[in-house]
Amino acid sequence: MSTTQSDGGVGDGRDRSASERADVCVVGAGPAGGLVADRLASAGYDVVVLEAGPRFDASERLERMERAIRPTYHPHEVWEMGGDRDAYASSGEKGYPLNAARVKGVGGTTLHWQGMVFRLHEGDFEMRSRYGVSEDWPIAYDDLRPYYAAAESELGVAGTAGDNPFAPPRDEPYPMPGFPPSYSDSLFAEACDALDVTMHSVPNARNSEPYDDRAACQGYGTCKPVCPSGAKYDATVHVERAEREGARVVDRAPVQRLEHDRTGDAIEVAVYATPDGEEHRQEAREFVLAAGGVEIPRLLLLSASEQYPQGLANTSGLVGKYFHDHLFAGMGGTLDEPTRQNHVGFLTSESHEFYDDVTDDRGPFKLEFLNYAGPSPVEFALGGDSFGDDLLEELRGAYGNAIAMGGLAAQPPRKDNYVSLDSSTTDDHGNPVPDVHWSLGERARNTIRAANERQREILAELGVDVSWTVGPESTGPAFHHMGTTRMSGDPEAGVVDPQLRTHDLANCSIASSSTFVYGGALNPTLTIAALALKCADHVDERL
């Protein structure tokens, strides 16, 4: 088909011009945007979703898996990240590698994620009340409890209820049975038993049996960065479901700015660009921002106006502030026996035994018993020069005795960690890029040290020859972007209210980890999904 004006110059025949005034405009087609769009389209509303990146053909996932395991490809090439579109800046104590684990496109970063899904602990919502640090959320665990259950059903979670004695209370079983412990989990279990450390299973958003018209896990082992079978949940599930319910999804349509009405009380238009250089104006009654913890504050800052000179929805001055992440703590080496690592691409066991042992100088952390230490047989073969019998001999001698532990440590939200605009660098549309100002802080370092100490005890008990450690100074982020449009009951203390609506704008909601007040030390996607469902309910009430 020839390239036309309406398809934005892509040549795929998809109409990228604006719709008539919609009931809801959702910005972002990741898990939050997909869930919001599905919920509201199913309720009969006219929904338009604007996504900055492309649609990825599901039939190409085997090819993308090959890109992931072949050393000739850069990791960014798996999901086509990089270039002017994804340019960013990083300042502060530590550089922040923003593009290392995000995906722009329909499905968002769930195309790349590992798939672990936890509910935050009750204490994570009450850090100021319980421990005198950070701030309390303006909602409690019980407020999200029904949404957590709904999110587990929507994503499809395999887990073992009651097996984790440190988890928050729940009333229902998981939708699917949990995955069994891996072989190396059994090795860790011996050491943990000797040290009285409790191991338990990990709930995963991947099918342990057929679920929601998707097959059970096929064991490719490349879950991060790509699941070829579709057994691991990604947001295309809900985006496509929303489309079947009548929602319209416009890809390759990065929103450039939001424009409000004369009074500054409501958004009127999302202005988005298409690849041909044209701009289009999407009108809607309600707007939901679901583009993640970096791009949402960036968009609000890019939408500054006479009424909002500091950025849209930024009367508090807190848009972009309180950026925080989870920090990685790890340790590993070799064992003098086979470990069978790197056959399983996801975690099957963890320990949250020390999670709630918060002190004056450190926060929560969890311990992970990794299943992917050392190169896999495929990576070993592709990375060397041997073939045939020589390769088999090398594999027998060098593969299979690596073993490692990981963990996530909490980083307390601090105002001096933030996302701003860097006007010295622009994207492919001439807009200032996001600048991530990031530093660790001593409390976070202490938390990582505590995690490393526990890891060292367990590996020593197991008899591991430790050869590497990721500790306080060498740590890196888990790429969980939280806190940049934080929730608050007081308009001066945050950006959105407990219903996820911005304090300043009556028809603008935010569904994202950017609304987190405190992210604890547990993977955030289930909480993102729960908040997205809560947000959709409140938008429905207003419509």
Side-chain angles (χ1 to χ4, degrees):
M1 176 177 290
S2 62
T3 301
T4 65
Q5 178 75 17
S6 63
D7 73 5
V10 178
D12 59 3
R14 293 183 180 274
D15 183 8
R16 290 178 172 80
S17 57
S19 299
E20 295 293 326
R21 186 170 186 259
D23 293 319
V24 185
C25 176
V26 179
V27 179
L35 284 162
V36 169
D38 173 51
R39 181 63 63 97
L40 293 175
S42 298
Y45 296 111
D46 181 15
V47 178
V48 175
V49 181
L50 301 176
E51 166 55 46
R55 293 175 184 262
F56 296 106
D57 189 335
S59 67
E60 297 176 352
R61 290 195 180 187
L62 280 170
E63 178 188 338
R64 295 185 188 280
M65 179 181 72
E66 186 173 331
R67 292 184 200 177
I69 60 179
R70 283 192 179 277
T72 51
Y73 287 97
H74 189 279
H76 292 181
E77 293 180 86
V78 176
W79 293 108
E80 302 167 24
M81 287 296 296
D84 289 344
R85 183 196 70 174
D86 306 317
Y88 68 94
S90 178
S91 57
E93 175 191 312
K94 291 183 73 70
Y96 195 93
L98 182 59
N99 286 341
R102 65 173 180 165
V103 179
K104 285 186 181 177
V106 175
T109 301
T110 51
L111 296 169
H112 172 101
W113 72 318
Q114 196 172 54
M116 293 180 288
V117 279
F118 302 96
R119 302 181 181 194
L120 288 178
H121 286 203
E122 293 164 293
D124 291 326
F125 294 90
E126 304 168 355
M127 289 301 290
R128 172 63 60 180
S129 300
R130 293 192 183 204
Y131 308 113
V133 298
S134 187
E135 298 294 337
D136 291 348
W137 287 60
I139 60 174
Y141 170 76
D142 280 345
D143 294 316
L144 273 192
R145 193 164 168 175
Y147 290 108
Y148 271 134
E152 288 167 347
S153 178
E154 291 288 348
L155 272 58
V157 176
T160 306
D163 141 278
N164 179 355
F166 315 106
R170 58 181 302 122
D171 300 315
E172 58 288 303
Y174 287 100
M176 288 175 283
F179 286 88
S182 69
Y183 174 78
S184 62
D185 285 352
S186 67
L187 302 178
F188 281 118
E190 296 176 10
C192 286
D193 284 346
L195 296 170
D196 291 326
V197 174
T198 302
M199 291 177 66
H200 49 77
S201 64
V202 175
N204 278 278
R206 54 175 47 79
N207 292 355
S208 60
E209 60 188 22
Y211 184 87
D212 196 22
D213 297 323
R214 294 181 287 126
C217 175
Q218 303 297 302
Y220 282 95
T222 59
C223 316
K224 184 177 181 178
V226 56
C227 171
S229 70
K232 182 185 71 174
Y233 171 82
D234 66 69
T236 62
V237 169
H238 284 95
V239 173
E240 292 170 3
R241 188 183 298 172
E243 288 184 291
R244 290 194 295 271
E245 294 289 342
R248 180 171 178 240
V249 178
V250 185
D251 70 330
R252 304 175 192 263
V255 177
Q256 306 297 291
R257 62 190 179 278
L258 303 168
E259 296 181 357
H260 57 72
D261 60 12
R262 292 181 187 176
T263 65
D265 293 331
I267 296 174
E268 287 187 324
V269 171
V271 180
Y272 66 94
T274 46
D276 57 6
E278 296 294 320
E279 286 191 348
H280 304 267
R281 300 173 62 82
Q282 180 59 56
E283 299 179 359
R285 296 165 60 195
E286 290 274 346
F287 291 82
V288 178
L289 309 186
V294 172
E295 293 296 338
I296 290 173
R298 181 195 182 204
L299 176 58
L300 293 172
L301 295 173
L302 287 172
S303 302
S305 68
E306 185 175 343
Q307 288 97 324
Y308 297 101
Q310 297 184 88
L312 197 61
N314 198 22
T315 298
S316 66
L318 296 178
V319 166
K321 305 295 187 183
Y322 295 105
F323 174 81
H324 58 293
D325 204 323
H326 296 130
L327 303 170
F328 183 75
M331 193 174 295
T334 55
L335 195 59
D336 206 14
E337 63 175 287
T339 62
R340 302 183 192 174
Q341 285 271 288
N342 232 321
H343 283 286
V344 180
F346 57 94
L347 300 183
T348 45
S349 294
E350 290 192 350
S351 177
H352 298 177
E353 176 146 349
F354 312 103
Y355 190 93
D356 293 319
D357 293 344
V358 176
T359 68
D360 289 341
D361 62 356
R362 70 161 176 82
F365 66 87
K366 65 162 180 164
L367 300 177
E368 302 171 335
F369 302 96
L370 301 186
N371 280 325
Y372 34 81
S376 69
V378 172
E379 291 167 329
F380 193 102
L382 291 174
D385 298 321
S386 300
F387 299 92
D389 291 341
D390 291 340
L391 174 59
L392 286 174
E393 192 60 33
E394 287 186 18
L395 284 171
R396 291 189 184 103
Y399 166 73
N401 66 340
I403 194 162
M405 291 184 66
L408 293 186
Q411 181 181 35
R414 303 202 326 267
K415 199 173 183 179
D416 58 356
N417 280 341
Y418 59 94
V419 174
S420 64
L421 300 179
D422 180 3
S423 298
S424 69
T425 307
T426 56
D427 66 11
D428 55 344
H429 292 282
N431 296 313
V433 302
D435 185 2
V436 182
H437 301 249
W438 192 54
S439 59
L440 298 185
E442 197 56 32
R443 185 177 179 86
R445 288 187 176 91
N446 289 338
T447 307
I448 296 168
R449 289 188 187 100
N452 283 155
E453 289 170 7
R454 293 297 183 180
Q455 291 165 342
R456 190 174 292 108
E457 291 172 1
I458 293 169
L459 294 178
E461 179 66 31
L462 190 53
V464 174
D465 181 10
V466 174
S467 58
W468 60 267
T469 299
V470 176
E473 302 306 325
S474 61
T475 188
F479 307 103
H480 302 153
H481 308 143
M482 301 176 286
T484 51
T485 61
R486 63 178 359 199
M487 186 189 298
S488 67
D490 178 358
E492 295 184 0
V495 179
V496 303
D497 66 19
Q499 294 187 339
L500 287 306
R501 180 168 60 173
T502 60
H503 289 296
D504 292 349
L505 298 153
N507 69 338
C508 179
S509 300
I510 298 178
S512 169
S513 54
S514 67
T515 66
F516 286 21
V517 178
Y518 181 80
L522 294 172
N523 309 64
T525 303
L526 190 71
T527 304
I528 294 171
L531 289 171
L533 294 172
K534 186 177 191 298
C535 176
D537 278 357
H538 295 310
V539 172
D540 185 15
E541 291 165 2
R542 292 197 295 273
L543 288 170

